[in-house]
Amino acid sequence: MSTPTKNGPAGLAPLTTGSVMRHVIVMSATGWIGLVAIFVVDFLNLFYIAQLGQQELAAAIGYSGAILFFLLSFAIGITIAGTALVARALGAGRPDDACRLAASSLVYMGGFIGVITLLLWPLLGEALTLLGATGITHGIAMDFLRIVLPAMPLLAVGMALSGVLRAAGDARRAMHVTLAGGLTTAVLDPLFIFGFGLGITGAAIATILSRVVLFWVGWHGAVTVHKLVARPRLADLITDARPLSAIAVPAILTNVATPVANAVVTAAIARFGDSAVAGYAVIDRLIPLAFGGLFALSGAVGPILGQNLGARLYDRVRRTLTDCLIVTTIYTIAVWAGLFLLADHVAAVFGVTGEGAELVRFFCRISAGSFIFVGALFVANASFNNLGFPMMSTVFNWGRATIGTMPFVWIGAAHAGAIGAAGGFALGSVVFGALAVVYAYRVVGRIGAPAATTSQRGG
C-alpha cells in the first residue's frame, strides 16, 4: 500500500494547526479558481455559441446544462463523501486507511456515474421535452448531449481526485486539476467552433478534451506526487462502500435537489418563450462564475472540518463554521455590487433581448443578493456532511427545492412573468439558508458537548 507524503507543518493533517481563517481563505481561494474553471467550460461554450447569432443555440446550451448539472450533482455528492473520509483518516493519523478510502472512492465514483449515464442516455429526448425544449432547440440540445454525455465519468473521477488532494490540504494541486480543464476549453473552444467551423459540435468536442486533461492532472497529483491512492481491492471496496454511501447518498440527494429546483424554474420560465430561456441560460452560467467562491467555500470547509474532527479539536470546528459565514457575507456583497454596476453590459455581451435581457438585469440588481443565504446554506450543508449529520443537508436542500421553490416560483410567475419566477426562487433561498445555519451551530454544539463534559470532569 502506498504511503502519502507529508504536507505542511502538521505532517499529514496541516489544517489542524495555524489560523482557521487563513485555512478558510487559502482553501477557498484556490478552490474557487479550480471550481470556476469547471464552469468556465459551460460559460465559454455559451459565450462563443452566442456569437453565432442564433438564439436557439443559446437556449439549447441552457437546456443541456440543466441535464448535465443533474449528473454533476451526483459527482459532487460522491466527492464530498470521499473527501470527508480521507480527511478524517489523515486528521486521526491513519495514512493507510486514507489511501485505501481514496482508492475506493475513485472506483465508487466511476462505477456510479457510469451507470447513471447509461440509464439517462435513452431518456435524453424525454428529459429535454420535460424541461420545455421544442423544435430546433430540442434537436440541437440532443446533438450536443450525445457527444458530451459519455465523458461524464471522466469528469467525475477527475473531481474525486481533486477532492483527495483537498483532503490532504494540498489546495494548490487541487486547484490545478480543474484549472487545467478550464484553460483547455479556453484554447480549444474558439478553435473548434470558429476555426474548424463546427459550431455547437465543436463546443462539445472541446468539452470532452478538457475533461481528459482534467482527469490526467488529478491523477498525477493524487497518485504520482502524493501517493495517496492505494491499489483497489475488492474486499476493501465492499468494506468501504458502506461508509462512503452513508455520506454520499444523503449528499447526492442534497445536490440533486438543486437541479430539480433549477428544472422547476426553467420549466416555469419556458412558458414565456426562447428569449426568456436564453436569459436564464446566461444567469445559469453567470452564477458559477460570479459566485464560484461560495461553491468553493463549501468544498474548502469539508477538509478543514474533517481533519479537525478527526483530531478532536472541537473549538476549531466551530471557528471554521463562523469564519466561513463571515467570508460568505463579505464575498457576496462585493460580487453583488459588481453585478449591479455591470447589469446592462452583461445582457448586451450575450446578445439577449426583450424579456431575456430584463431577466438578466433583474438577477444582477436584485436577486443576486440572496446568495448571502445560498452561501450560508452551502456552508451548513458541508458542516452536516462532514460532522456526521448528512441527512440534515438533504432535509434543508430538499426543503429549499420544494417548499422554498415551487410555490414561490409559481406565484411569482403568475404575477410577474419570468422575472417573478426568478424572484420567487431567490426568496425561498433566504428562508432555508437562515434556518440551515441555525441548525448547523446546534450540530457543532452537540458534537463538542461530550468533550467539554469530559474536560470538566477531568479538572
Side-chain angles (χ1 to χ4, degrees):
M1 182 176 289
S2 301
T3 300
T5 58
K6 292 194 174 185
N7 183 18
L12 296 174
L15 304 177
T16 58
T17 60
S19 166
V20 172
M21 178 61 87
R22 181 180 180 279
H23 289 317
V24 168
I25 292 174
V26 171
M27 293 287 286
S28 298
T30 53
W32 173 76
I33 295 171
L35 186 60
V36 165
I38 291 180
F39 294 110
V40 162
V41 173
D42 291 333
F43 185 85
L44 288 176
N45 283 342
L46 180 62
F47 177 79
Y48 290 126
I49 290 299
Q51 307 312 304
L52 297 175
Q54 186 177 348
Q55 190 156 261
E56 290 83 359
L57 293 176
I61 291 291
Y63 288 119
S64 300
I67 291 176
L68 292 174
F69 190 67
F70 177 79
L71 279 172
L72 190 61
S73 297
F74 283 86
I76 292 171
I78 299 172
T79 299
I80 288 170
T83 303
L85 292 177
V86 172
R88 281 186 210 169
L90 291 173
R94 296 184 281 109
D96 287 349
D97 288 345
C99 291
R100 188 198 75 242
L101 288 162
S104 296
S105 70
L106 297 181
V107 175
Y108 190 109
M109 175 73 88
F112 192 95
I113 298 301
V115 169
I116 296 298
T117 299
L118 288 174
L119 292 175
L120 181 61
W121 183 265
L123 302 175
L124 285 177
E126 290 81 356
L128 287 168
T129 300
L130 186 64
L131 288 174
T134 58
I136 295 174
T137 301
H138 186 284
I140 294 171
M142 278 288 290
D143 291 341
F144 181 82
L145 287 170
R146 282 171 176 160
I147 298 173
V148 170
L149 198 61
M152 273 304 298
L154 201 62
L155 171 63
V157 175
M159 290 172 59
L161 288 164
S162 179
V164 169
L165 290 168
R166 284 200 308 274
D170 192 344
R172 181 173 59 85
R173 283 195 174 86
M175 172 189 70
H176 289 166
V177 176
T178 44
L179 184 59
L183 291 175
T184 301
T185 299
V187 173
L188 296 183
D189 247 357
L191 178 64
F192 280 90
I193 293 173
F194 303 114
F196 297 152
L198 295 177
I200 197 167
T201 300
I205 294 172
T207 298
I208 291 177
L209 293 175
S210 75
R211 291 174 179 177
V212 172
V213 172
L214 181 147
F215 170 83
W216 182 85
V217 174
W219 183 266
H220 176 75
V223 179
T224 305
V225 177
H226 277 277
K227 305 186 188 305
L228 246 176
V229 181
R231 186 181 298 277
R233 298 191 308 172
L234 181 59
D236 292 337
L237 294 173
I238 295 172
T239 300
D240 294 337
R242 184 172 181 177
L244 282 167
S245 297
I247 300 175
V249 172
I252 288 170
L253 292 174
T254 298
N255 284 286
V256 167
T258 299
V260 167
N262 285 340
V264 171
V265 181
T266 300
I269 288 175
R271 292 158 39 199
F272 302 99
D274 276 350
S275 174
V277 173
Y280 194 66
V282 170
I283 294 172
D284 243 5
R285 297 310 181 278
L286 185 61
I287 286 173
L289 283 180
F291 294 104
L294 301 184
F295 291 93
L297 185 63
S298 65
V301 67
I304 302 172
L305 289 170
Q307 287 193 12
N308 284 286
L309 179 64
R312 300 184 180 182
L313 300 173
Y314 302 111
D315 288 345
R316 289 177 65 85
V317 171
R318 184 181 185 86
R319 184 72 247 175
T320 300
L321 178 58
T322 299
D323 287 352
C324 284
L325 293 174
I326 292 172
V327 171
T328 293
T329 303
I330 295 173
Y331 176 89
T332 303
I333 291 174
V335 171
W336 187 14
L339 289 174
F340 190 96
L341 295 174
L342 296 173
D344 291 327
H345 183 66
V346 170
V349 164
F350 286 94
V352 287
T353 57
E355 191 151 20
E358 289 299 319
L359 191 60
V360 171
R361 284 192 282 266
F362 174 80
F363 171 78
C364 292
R365 291 169 177 164
I366 306 296
S367 61
S370 68
F371 272 79
I372 292 175
F373 297 91
V374 174
L377 180 60
F378 290 166
V379 171
N381 286 340
S383 301
F384 298 141
N385 289 328
N386 285 274
L387 299 178
F389 295 80
M391 282 306 301
M392 292 313 305
S393 65
T394 304
V395 168
F396 280 107
N397 250 33
W398 275 99
R400 178 200 174 205
T402 53
I403 301 172
T405 296
M406 295 176 183
F408 289 93
V409 168
W410 292 338
I411 293 172
H415 288 84
I419 288 176
F425 189 34
L427 185 59
S429 300
V430 171
V431 175
F432 279 86
L435 291 174
V437 166
V438 171
Y439 199 85
Y441 273 106
R442 291 185 61 187
V443 164
V444 172
R446 187 181 305 176
I447 291 172
T453 301
T454 301
S455 176
Q456 289 170 2
R457 288 175 180 172

